[in-house]
Amino acid sequence: MGVTYKYFGAPDGATAARVPISMRPEELGGDELGQGMFTKIKPETMAAMVLTGIEGIPLNRVPPLELVVLHPDYAVVKLPMTVVDPLRGIGEESVGAAAFIWSTVPDRAGPQDAFSVYQLLHRWQDFSDRLHEAGHQAYCLVWP
């Protein structure tokens, strides 16, 4: 099976902490921003992908995630805005370059080819724009 991640937006940690604890991903539906994003990609990997591929930050300087809720059945973490903001306003060339760079990183989970990473970064770019427009921050619901 494995772990499932749902990225979503919320105005603050208290709102993000009120996620359903017994529902499966397909039952969660949308959030304040619409659909949210379901994936098998860890938030740590997403943070590294954006910050190393777009911002050029070395992996060892990627900031940690903030734990909002730790429950025996799930967790909610907050992604730093430094992971979300760089995607807003960058062009196709930057997205393509970041996808290529990330596709060459060995020993990591996530998409393995540049085109898959490119598509993922475009979904994140749209997600980042919606977060900004709503005045929300990025969170991730993690559960087995």
Side-chain angles (χ1 to χ4, degrees):
M1 189 153 182
V3 177
T4 300
Y5 306 95
K6 181 187 183 197
Y7 294 91
F8 65 98
D12 53 50
T15 303
R18 292 191 300 266
V19 295
I21 63 171
S22 62
M23 302 186 102
R24 305 313 303 164
E26 57 276 1
E27 296 169 334
L28 277 169
D31 54 51
E32 299 89 345
L33 297 175
Q35 289 299 311
M37 293 183 7
F38 292 110
T39 183
K40 293 289 186 179
I41 301 172
K42 296 189 289 187
E44 298 88 350
T45 302
M46 276 309 308
M49 187 184 305
V50 169
L51 293 176
T52 60
I54 294 172
E55 294 290 291
I57 295 173
L59 281 174
N60 64 344
R61 297 203 47 229
V62 173
L65 305 175
E66 178 184 324
L67 182 64
V68 176
V69 173
L70 180 58
H71 184 276
D73 296 328
Y74 70 97
V76 176
V77 295
K78 177 183 173 188
L79 283 79
M81 288 310 288
T82 54
V83 173
V84 179
D85 285 344
L87 290 166
R88 293 185 22 253
I90 64 169
E92 287 295 311
E93 187 174 304
S94 295
V95 174
F100 176 75
I101 290 166
W102 192 253
S103 72
T104 64
V105 175
D107 300 320
R108 53 144 177 92
Q112 301 300 312
D113 65 272
F115 185 69
S116 295
V117 176
Y118 175 81
Q119 290 177 313
L120 175 68
L121 287 174
H122 266 291
R123 286 195 305 273
W124 266 87
Q125 194 171 36
D126 178 58
F127 184 60
S128 297
D129 288 341
R130 291 184 293 136
L131 282 173
H132 180 73
E133 289 169 10
H136 290 182
Q137 298 174 11
Y139 293 89
C140 184
L141 171 62
V142 181
W143 73 98

